Amino acid sequence: YPEPRLALGAALLSLAHAAADISDGLLADLGHILDESAVAAEVWADALPSHPALEARRAEFLSCLAAGGDDYELVFTAPPQRRAAIEAAAAACGCRVSRIGRALAGRGACLLDAAGRQVKLDKEGYDHFG
């Protein structure tokens, strides 16, 4: 039963550089932020939040975590020095936030496993035009 993160979204207005809801999949929606910002990002597969019941089968569900949509969660970018303020804002909203990667020079998103190897997925999310 997903819940839109409206209060967190409002709190991030003064803290984040950019944000989007994850309606089409994490990598797809992060990709929109990266394209508009002309930067790249590495996303750490092991840092993606999931339900505790799925942890034993994380590898099997990785494509759902990275490319599944309709989560009503937010993906956002922010400077590292705002981490404490973001965590405090999330706690005040009753939400959990997770650092799942970092922005880099370049273009596009790259999903990495624990060893730093790129993880290839069949797709990065829902494509409205495909």
Side-chain angles (χ1 to χ4, degrees), residues 41-84:
E42 63 181 28
V43 176
W44 309 314
D46 289 350
L48 298 178
S50 70
H51 191 278
L54 297 179
E55 280 305 308
R57 297 171 61 192
R58 176 177 271 281
E60 183 180 342
F61 288 103
L62 184 57
S63 64
C64 292
L65 293 173
D70 290 331
D71 294 333
Y72 301 102
E73 295 294 345
L74 299 175
V75 59
F76 60 92
T77 61
Q81 62 268 27
R82 293 191 182 152
R83 185 172 302 143

Side-chain angles (χ1 to χ4, degrees), residues 5-128:
R5 304 298 183 198
L6 300 176
L8 179 60
L12 291 174
L13 287 173
S14 63
L15 298 171
H17 282 157
D21 73 309
I22 302 174
S23 57
D24 293 336
L26 171 67
L27 293 177
D29 289 319
L30 174 60
H32 300 314
I33 291 173
L34 300 175
D35 289 345
E36 291 299 317
S37 302
V39 297
E42 63 181 28
V43 176
W44 309 314
D46 289 350
L48 298 178
S50 70
H51 191 278
L54 297 179
E55 280 305 308
R57 297 171 61 192
R58 176 177 271 281
E60 183 180 342
F61 288 103
L62 184 57
S63 64
C64 292
L65 293 173
D70 290 331
D71 294 333
Y72 301 102
E73 295 294 345
L74 299 175
V75 59
F76 60 92
T77 61
Q81 62 268 27
R82 293 191 182 152
R83 185 172 302 143
I86 289 168
E87 289 173 352
C93 295
C95 297
R96 187 182 91 181
V97 292
S98 301
R99 182 174 182 224
I100 61 165
R102 64 182 181 143
L104 306 164
R107 297 298 289 229
C110 180
L111 182 64
L112 302 177
D113 67 13
R117 295 179 302 249
Q118 186 171 356
V119 177
K120 294 287 189 184
L121 300 176
D122 291 335
K123 62 181 191 171
E124 293 184 351
Y126 182 75
D127 181 0
H128 294 269

